[in-house]
Amino acid sequence: MQRVRYAELHALSNFTFLRGASHPEELVETAAALGYEALAITDECSMSGVVRAHMAAKALELKLIIGSELRLQSGRKLVALAQNRNGYAALCRLITRARRAAEKGSYVLTRSFFEEGLPDCIVLWVPDDALALDVEDHWIRETFRDRLWIAVELLADGRQDERLDALREVGRRLRLPLVASGDVHMHRRSRRVLQDTLTAIREGVTVDQAGFVLYANGERHLRSLEVLQHFYPEELLRETLHIAERIDFSLDELRYEYPDEIVPADETPASHLRKLTGQGMRDRWPGGVPQKVVQLVEHELKLIAELRYEPYFLTVYDIVSFARSKGILCQGRGSAANSAVCFCLGITEVDPARMETLVERFISKERNEPPDIDVDFEHERREEVIQYIYAKYGRDRAALAATVITYRPRSALRDVGKALGLSDIQVGRLARSMQWWDGKRVDDSRVLEAGLDPDSPVIRRLLYLVRELIGFPRHLSQHVGGFIITNGPMSELVPIENASMEERTVIQWEKNDLEDLGLLKVDVLGLGMLTAIRRSFDLIRTFDGREYTLASVPAEDPVVYDMICEGDTMGVFQIESRAQMAMLPRLKPRCYYDLVIEVAIIRPGPIQGDMVHPYLRRRNGEEAVDYPSEEVKGVLQRTLGVPIFQEQVMALAVVAAGFTPGEADRLRRAMAAWKRRGGLGSFEDKLIDGMRRRGYSEEFARQIFRQIEGFGEYGFPESHSASFALLVYVSCWLKCHTPAAFTCALLNSQPMGFYSASQLVQDLRRHGVEVRGVDINRSGWDCSLEPDESGAAVLRLGLRMVKGLPEAAGHAIAERRGTRAYRSTQQLLERTGLDRRALEALASAGALSALEGHRHQARWAVAGVEKPGGLFASMDRFEATPLLRKPTEGQNIVADYKNVGLTLERHPMYLVRHRLDRYRYVQAERLRDMATGQDVNVAGLVITKQRPGTASGVTFVTLEDETGHINLVVWKHVAERDRAALLNARLLGVRGELQIETNVIHVIARKLIDHTPMLGDLEVKSRDFR
Amino acid sequence: MARARRSPVIARDSAPTPDAPPRHTQYALPLAKAERLWFCVYLPNLPLEACGPGDEDLAVIEERQGVHRVLLAAARARAAGVLPGQSPNAALALLPGLRIEERNEIREQQVLELLATWLEQFSSFVSIAGSDVLLLEIAGSLRLFGGLKSLRRQVAAGLEAQGFEASLAIAPTPLAATWLARGGQRACVREPANIMAALRSLPLSCLAWPPTVLESLAGMGITDVGDCLRLPREGFARRFGVKRLLQLDRALGHVPDPRNSWRAPERFCADFEMTEEQGDRELLLAICHELLQAHEQFLLARQLGTQRLLFTFFHLKAKATSLPLGGARADRAADHWYELLRLRFEKLVLPEPVIAIRLRGGTNRALHNTSGHLAFHDRPLREHYYSMSQLAERLAARIGNESVHGVNAVADHRPQYAWRARDLFAARAADALTRVRQGIERPLWLLPEPELLSTENGHPLHQGKLRFVSGPERLETGWWDEHGIARDYYTAVSPRGAGLWVFRNRDRQRDGEADWYLHGMFG
């Protein structure tokens, strides 16, 4: 039999949420494998999946057709296929209108939406069962005329012959051609089980209740050519090719649609960028630009010009200039951000001379994709920047990228469980055990623990389906800061739909899609530390007039590095976590580049890939630094032969395994996704073969590959690390030289970082800085600095620390006070109009002590005040004043924690210490003087609990006592035996063993004891991290 | 005639089992004493106990603002660290075998009512005060039960035997007794003059005031009743409301605190006792009819009906014989019930002659209003329904409830599930998602089991070689249970002209050749 040829023109991917049951890539790969001539991805009123399909089709050289299935309100189903860029724009416009007219996640289409008639699109009409022609059918005929086909979809429902005859009759009557198509919902028949499940989830029923809503069979998959030939008359199959031939459009045509207003009328992008860079260069080096820099800039400009990326740099420059003009601190990062050009443009403050420059690593000619610049802004002022972008380019040309929310193990389990008829509680139990789900299998013992039988067919089905469903897109949400700016209207590039928040919209593509298509994208991100740093600068300026900027903070100050080496870094950027603090005394960073490494090395990726310890040993001279070859040395020298950065892995693939830079970049992307989709396999062989052929040992090759796997989603690029390291250094400098201002700024920028206000304040006091309480007559809304008798800075807690006090009330108190102090609570009420809840919050926080004495009296007074203008307001009420007991120290501490979140009294451990004495608990500060390996008992408030995914089953607990912190290591068997204490205790006693290594102290727990009842009402909240 | 004393009695629903021998109702004497003494039974673990007895690995959860939290945990769960306020997941982490029940306040109320009924043996005045507190006025009953200590012991023992953990306290005012019981102090205050002293050191949390009020008071350093009583009255009332001041006054006995007595709901229960054993079945039926008439009178007065009845025939030696009757709808007519009874009674085996008959009514229900408001066009339908339900009742009475089923059309692609049985007497189940499948031809007669056909060169045979008329209709579905199918169905005609429905299995093939089956025949 002669082999037929076929193009599938009607296929839904899983971006038609809860209908399509295959990833776009799966559809493309299967279509290519089956020998289809072309494949159309026609998700229902959506373009969300097309870029993924496009990338996959490009790699397999399959012709991809871009289209969309559209259901009119009357029920008529059409499939529109874009013939060219113009048709694509029309289709995107239509989808945008239909989506914008309906609630999030749905759309409305009526005849009135088609005034334009959808030009340059081919339309397939998929008639329903009822074939009586009416007005609307004639309308369809008239509207699309010579671009209209009747789609014949024969799906083995037992009536295919009948149907074919009926459609032929319609075609004759309307003089329309017929074409075969498959109503494809999945790439393989076996997905029908998942497809049924998705249907049940969509309808909110269980599969066995879903009845005829389910499809009767699995025919809606990509069928082999033989099967198609069996089902369809040959002329209908041939017709698919005629249609495919009339389509000439690829998403690749969308590139280079940059905005043009960033360039003045009399300049070209190239000349303008050159001019701005030149200006910046002279500002950076007022004493004369070093020749090396001039050359570097020249080289970079040439590369940028070749790739026509000037508009991109100019756009970022424009945004950063706006931020600077408003005094908003910002810092660029990413591959291109560390270029000399970006330094000259002020996009980054990292002087390329300060580190081995990353030239040429930032854009690759071969990759032919735009450079990557993320800009971090102060988190509280990012919105201003976003508004600026909207104002400058208009909402029809600037938009935030989407984030595709996908099924995670937990959500997949919940939905599948429901569809299979499991009870909420059963699903809840299993979901809990999902914490150990590694994405591939579930430990049977966990299923048993959840009270379910792992061998029961229902559970087997459940686990199978959950595995299949994980990673499926579920809905679109807004990306945190990925902006796309276009030259023409956005809705002609990509459809726009409503987001869940009112007045918010989201485009149908996510960041990766934009990147893949090479579209201009700027990440406008919020970073709390930038806010804190800017606030520190402001506080210093107002306190003693010193002026600092990111660039002018004195560089490479040895005193700052001394502090860092001691692990005294609570509150600073990035290197403040417990793991980081424990690393610092071993790593002993002494220069900027050491910080770059430090930022990247304590991350799950390098830890999993076992890179930390080799690096440490080499740095401490305990292990020889050797390289298998000169090329490898060139890549790894700066990290002592250990690959730490993502860029190094890519470079290794190039120099040691013979990858092209483009292949190396695909490797990088595969690295990010392999946990979700697998797919490192082809790279594994290529990498190891390549390295072996170039004479590297199998062992070295395997090790490199393991490290690549370890990077996974966490691999940290050097280009980001370099930018972060600057903020690390600046925050450390501030903490070291202006601790009061730095802590004050941190408190005013909460919530951020790793530590609570209480811990930050205790740390500050341990560094000898005085902290004063909230005072109705002295505090502003923010925490502030005031001089003590000697003129040194003292931290005054602000009204923002008072829990339950609204911000407006706090500002009102400070404003109405001016220079006239409040004399009484009644007066406070009359001048500010605060409500009783606000007053109670103040009284509870002890902020009224200047007016009413102790807390108990303040509460009584506040409970009795009358609103001004009330019935009795003018009456000078005489009321007996009760004699109320003065709060004890314990009561004050409890109230402080509850209402301010911290106490300036003694540490709560003082109050219970005598009762703990019989357990022979040792205070934190005394551990330092003890010997490693010694048995030791410690106790303290539980401050943080952390169970990192990388440390198999270990829980890290931090305790706090009156003298400092104690780091606990709780192994799995202890955690399981004493899990009640571990889970519930706020005051925890521990018997264990002391371990001291290079100034890093741990207690390995052997027994946990819950002493919480001793605390009474004290509220200590542990911060739990996973 | 050997029939004698008859004593139909309308009783409260207090007889614990229908098997208990008949006893005469007692009338409690009204009390005429001014002094009152209140006995409080506080049940701190009621939400747990209402879930049934003896599960040590139990936690009751409650939803507040959309979040589930543990409300109470049983002893072993508590020992494992399961605490109130935890999320169910945290609780499960501590005790993986934990049984988690959602709080059921209706059930708690029912348990509370049962306990109130039980407590009526100790006092004619029992009051349900809130969701977990029962109050007995006992001034009059003290002597009857041998004094305070003895009464207390009896109540405590009875509660313990029924599996309840209770805190008991006695005081001259209901509120004082309640607060003391919540304080768990086993207090016994007899003189009003001593109330103040007993309450003074009681934590304010025992007063069950709203958390905001308690928090506010705690913020002023006021944590017990004594602190509260020391505050200036006017200042207190202004800050916390006159209502709370009044409560304090009531607790102290300064202001009266009237309470309502609780009464069990009425349910019909009547006995007919005979002077000697009786075996004549016609006579027994006649007595039953009399009881049914009394039942009808009882319900008529209350405008109610019932859906279930229970006859119990007592014998001298053998265990009593029960005969439950159920109707498809609530009814009270004696003749209606009598007809059902007669059908069942015919088959009833009585081990011995009968000495007494008891009739207990089921839960009373409002009758369908059938009096004249019915729209005219509704009538035929309704009558049809009635006659259908009467037919069903009679059938069920004759051959047993379990043998009569309704038939539901079920939406399922699998032909063998085209219909399913349902319990006729169950409330109408919510219909499965049914969407009409149009135009699909299905044979009227389906074989109970598909029949394997012999084949010739892979072609199915039935009375000769089959000719396919249409198909295939491919059905691949039902994977969610053990009866999933993957078949291609064809309509075929046999050489003798019979229309057949045959299929080929897609997943099971023998020797590389598909099996063919006959599944049905077209009429």
Side-chain angles (χ1 to χ4, degrees), chain A residues 129 156-161 189 192-193 196-197 203 205 207-219 231 410 420 425 428-429 432 449 457 461 465 840 844 855-856 859-861 863-866 877-882 884-885 891 898 979-980 983-984, chain B residues 61 80-83 86 89-90 92-100 215-216 218-223 227 230-232 234-236 238-240 410-413 420 432-433 435-440 470-477 479-482 485-486 506:
Chain A
D129 277 353
D157 61 357
R159 294 192 304 144
Q160 41 270 26
D161 299 343
R189 184 189 297 278
R192 73 180 165 84
V193 172
D196 284 347
T197 309
E203 299 289 338
V205 293
V207 276
D208 63 344
Q209 286 170 350
F212 298 141
V213 184
L214 304 181
Y215 291 127
N217 59 40
E219 288 303 298
F231 271 104
R410 222 169 249 266
L420 294 187
I425 295 219
R429 283 181 186 227
R432 228 186 54 69
E449 197 171 278
R461 267 176 226 127
L465 284 165
E840 270 184 5
S844 307
R855 272 198 177 90
H856 290 168
R859 287 297 294 271
W860 176 264
V865 292
E866 296 282 349
R877 171 179 298 278
F878 178 79
E879 192 183 56
T881 309
L884 297 167
R885 273 189 301 266
Q891 283 174 327
K898 195 169 160 198
R979 57 180 151 191
L983 220 75
N984 293 334
Chain B
I61 57 171
V82 177
L83 298 175
Q86 278 170 344
N89 275 341
L92 282 167
L94 293 165
L95 188 61
L98 188 68
R99 181 163 74 98
I100 292 182
E215 194 280 327
S216 189
M220 300 169 190
I222 294 155
T223 51
D227 291 340
R230 270 193 296 278
L231 293 173
E234 191 210 1
F236 178 87
R238 207 155 66 81
R239 285 167 178 80
F240 304 105
V410 169
D412 195 314
H413 289 291
R420 270 176 210 169
L433 216 63
R435 295 207 185 155
V436 188
R437 254 168 71 90
Q438 297 167 330
I440 296 293
S470 73
E473 179 187 356
R474 185 161 292 170
L475 295 179
E476 293 169 297
T477 190
W479 49 268
W480 49 86
D481 56 31
E482 305 313 309
I485 57 167
R506 291 175 51 77

Side-chain angles (χ1 to χ4, degrees), chain A residues 935-957:
Chain A
D935 284 353
V936 70
N937 299 342
V938 291
L941 303 180
V942 180
I943 300 298
T944 54
K945 278 183 282 195
Q946 197 174 9
R947 187 161 67 192
T950 48
S952 49
V954 188
T955 312
F956 296 107
V957 180

Side-chain angles (χ1 to χ4, degrees), chain B residues 230-249:
Chain B
R230 270 193 296 278
L231 293 173
R233 286 177 65 84
E234 191 210 1
F236 178 87
R238 207 155 66 81
R239 285 167 178 80
F240 304 105
V242 181
K243 209 176 109 197
R244 303 223 152 71
L245 193 62
L246 185 65
Q247 278 190 328
L248 288 169
D249 287 341

